[in-house]
Amino acid sequence: MRDRMHDGSARLIVGASEIPLEIPLEIAASYRARTQGLLGRDSVEGALLLSPASSIHTLGMRFPIDVAYVDRELTVLAVRTMRPWRMGLPRPRSRHVLEAMAGAMEMWGVRVGIRLEVRLEVRA
């Protein structure tokens, strides 16, 4: 599941404590969804996971974002805040890129070395 994702909704689980933090997550796995990303939006509720991805840009973005580069095992490799109209360098070993509003990653406790979990939402 970690390596092959599909467009859709999920929950991002952060933290291994008794009560982990659950964050609404949108998965962009198709070429079309990844290229659209957060372009044209004024905000994002929760986070957006681009998969596969090893780099991003904020060209045409309307707001600054936090970016976490994540490996195949969903371990965070790097976290950055990017202002609009910037180019991010590719990250070796990165398989996924997590995007959220600037400041969100620190608030959620997303930092280098922690392991994330993605729980797909069950469709009725």
Side-chain angles (χ1 to χ4, degrees):
M1 196 281 303
R2 286 184 212 126
D3 212 29
R4 292 211 178 255
M5 296 196 187
H6 303 281
D7 292 349
S9 297
R11 306 294 287 174
L12 177 69
I13 311 303
V14 179
S17 64
E18 290 180 23
I19 304 173
L21 186 59
E22 289 193 26
I23 299 150
L25 181 67
E26 180 181 339
I27 298 173
S30 68
Y31 176 78
R32 175 178 238 154
R34 287 191 320 268
T35 55
Q36 180 65 38
L38 296 175
L39 293 175
R41 299 188 195 188
D42 292 319
S43 65
V44 59
E45 180 186 338
L48 173 69
L49 184 71
L50 304 171
S51 178
S54 62
S55 67
I56 60 123
H57 67 81
T58 58
L59 303 176
M61 298 270 307
R62 297 178 180 167
F63 55 94
I65 60 172
D66 281 349
V67 178
Y69 298 89
V70 183
D71 71 9
R72 291 179 186 272
E73 301 301 317
L74 299 177
T75 300
V76 177
L77 303 172
V79 180
R80 300 284 181 264
T81 299
M82 292 180 67
R83 295 189 323 256
W85 298 96
R86 301 291 186 259
M87 292 291 295
L89 295 174
R91 296 287 172 166
R93 297 185 10 241
S94 179
R95 176 66 178 173
H96 318 282
V97 176
L98 184 67
E99 299 179 342
M101 298 292 289
M105 302 268 180
E106 183 177 359
M107 185 174 61
W108 298 336
V110 174
R111 61 187 177 283
V112 173
I114 72 158
R115 194 159 181 191
L116 305 172
E117 182 182 341
V118 173
R119 289 189 189 152
L120 298 176
E121 293 186 351
V122 179
R123 294 182 181 169

